[in-house]
Amino acid sequence: MRFKMGTAAAAAAVLLLASACVSESDAPDAADDKLVGKGTGDECVIDSPVKVGLVLSLTGGAAFAGEYQQQGLELGFEELAAKEGVKYEVITEDDETTLDVSIAATEKLINRDKVSVLVGPTLSNQAFSTFEDAQEAGVPALGISTTAEGITEIGDYIFRDSLPETEALAASIPAAKDALGLKSVAILSDSADEFTASAYTTMIEVLKSEGIEVVADEKFETGDEDFRSQLTKVKEANPDAVVLSALPGATIPLVKQARESGITAPMIGGNAFNSPVMIKNLGDAAEGLIVGGAWSDALESQGNAEFIAAYTEKYDRAPDQFAAQAYVAAQLIDQAVRADCDGNREAIKDNLGQIMELETILGPLSIDEEGEVHQEPVVQIIKDGKFEILK
Ligand code: 1QQ
């Protein structure tokens, strides 16, 4: 359940603000008349640029996703700039994949830059704190890769276009079971990260409901480099497949060491596997890996071919899922702003929760009033160094 402020609570909050002598510009959501325009939808014209704050991991452990996200957002907002009526001012902060920097960047965007909406951070690990701050300040925040359970429950200002890991695993594990005839698995999971720990819980639930036996269940922590003792136990258990919940920093040495130690079982990965970085770093060791996610270059969704072409032309590399979800964030924000032709925080918050079956490159996508995304998951397998849809 999300907390919705009742009239009495709202009135009390107004009084509290007044008594604390907060000037209008310092108030959590000082509405700006210049952000209210005329017309709606494609006809909407707003005089002032709408400020969008991005908090992305452009360096550090999650830069593998953050760099693609920055480019996806850049392309998305560039295309919007060619449209008449609404201009966006995008302010980007690198959170360096650390919690402290992520919190400071979010606070700067909220209080100093006074952005109308936040996009990011890249990791759920950071979002559980920064989204609390956004919620408290009354600033809508849109997660583009924050897939852990509980993200949108933080509050009514929190949204995501990142397919939750509960949905991705509920698609990938049964698909892997069908494709591989799975009866048993070993789980290897990073217990020190919010996303990987949350995904672990989901894995246990889905494996149970699929009647797949867990014959080994080994843990490690972000930053670990040697996984040989866990892998020895996995090898002894001789599972039909290995289910892995880890970010690339651990996954790359872990999968390499697994293959070196003679574990040939296929692997099923979490959201971090939706990255060409895995294929690049793992080479043959990535072959056969199965992962559920939000996007594929093979999706025949509206605009996908054009997106892939424009991205590849501009950045000289193919986009990935993280770029695709980031690109869609620009479209969602534009949709939310134009709905009431209002670029203020409150209007964006109201309208982000009303996205119904919007045609996007991720397929038809909805965001409900709880802030949760609804779209079809895609299950892919790495074959011959490329992702392809698992049939
Ligand atoms: C999360 C994730 C990561 C894999 C994003 C890069 O899904 O932190 O929620």
Side-chain angles (χ1 to χ4, degrees), residues 164-244:
E165 194 70 332
T166 46
E167 302 270 329
L169 290 165
S172 63
I173 291 176
K177 181 184 166 188
D178 283 354
L180 307 169
L182 291 187
K183 291 200 173 55
S184 68
V185 296
I187 306 180
L188 282 157
S189 67
D190 180 342
S191 57
D193 172 88
E194 297 267 14
F195 150 70
T196 56
S198 159
Y200 168 78
T201 312
T202 307
M203 286 166 177
I204 295 284
E205 283 166 17
V206 178
L207 289 165
K208 195 170 168 209
S209 75
E210 289 297 313
I212 300 170
E213 191 190 353
V214 178
V215 290
D217 186 351
E218 293 296 314
K219 302 220 180 305
F220 52 88
E221 292 195 356
T222 316
D224 286 358
E225 288 171 5
D226 188 341
F227 305 93
R228 281 165 236 271
S229 71
Q230 291 94 330
L231 289 169
T232 302
K233 294 192 186 126
V234 169
K235 196 173 176 193
E236 276 165 16
N238 193 26
D240 294 337
V242 175
V243 185
L244 197 51

Side-chain angles (χ1 to χ4, degrees), residues 339-388:
D340 286 334
C341 201
D342 187 340
N344 281 294
R345 292 170 174 179
E346 206 57 25
I348 296 178
K349 172 231 167 196
D350 287 344
N351 290 308
L352 271 178
Q354 314 261 0
I355 305 271
M356 290 289 293
E357 296 280 310
L358 184 69
E359 289 297 342
T360 76
I361 60 169
L362 308 173
L365 181 147
S366 305
I367 297 183
D368 64 27
E369 59 173 15
E370 308 284 306
E372 190 60 280
V373 66
H374 299 277
Q375 64 157 116
E376 273 301 310
V378 193
V379 181
Q380 299 199 95
I381 182 163
I382 299 175
K383 272 215 179 125
D384 301 325
K386 289 198 190 81
F387 286 104
E388 62 178 59

Side-chain angles (χ1 to χ4, degrees), residues 57 60-66 68 97 122-123 190 193 195-196 220-225 227 244-257 269-282 289 320 322 387:
S57 297
F64 79 97
Y68 278 93
T97 319
T122 301
L123 293 185
D190 180 342
D193 172 88
F195 150 70
T196 56
F220 52 88
E221 292 195 356
T222 316
D224 286 358
E225 288 171 5
F227 305 93
L244 197 51
S245 185
L247 292 169
T251 301
I252 291 163
L254 192 155
V255 175
K256 280 187 181 158
Q257 288 166 27
N271 191 36
F273 273 100
N274 285 306
S275 168
V277 166
M278 295 293 193
I279 299 178
K280 198 169 144 216
N281 284 281
L282 286 171
L289 191 128
D320 70 357
F322 297 104
F387 286 104

Side-chain angles (χ1 to χ4, degrees), residues 26 59 148 179 280:
D26 290 338
T59 54
K280 198 169 144 216

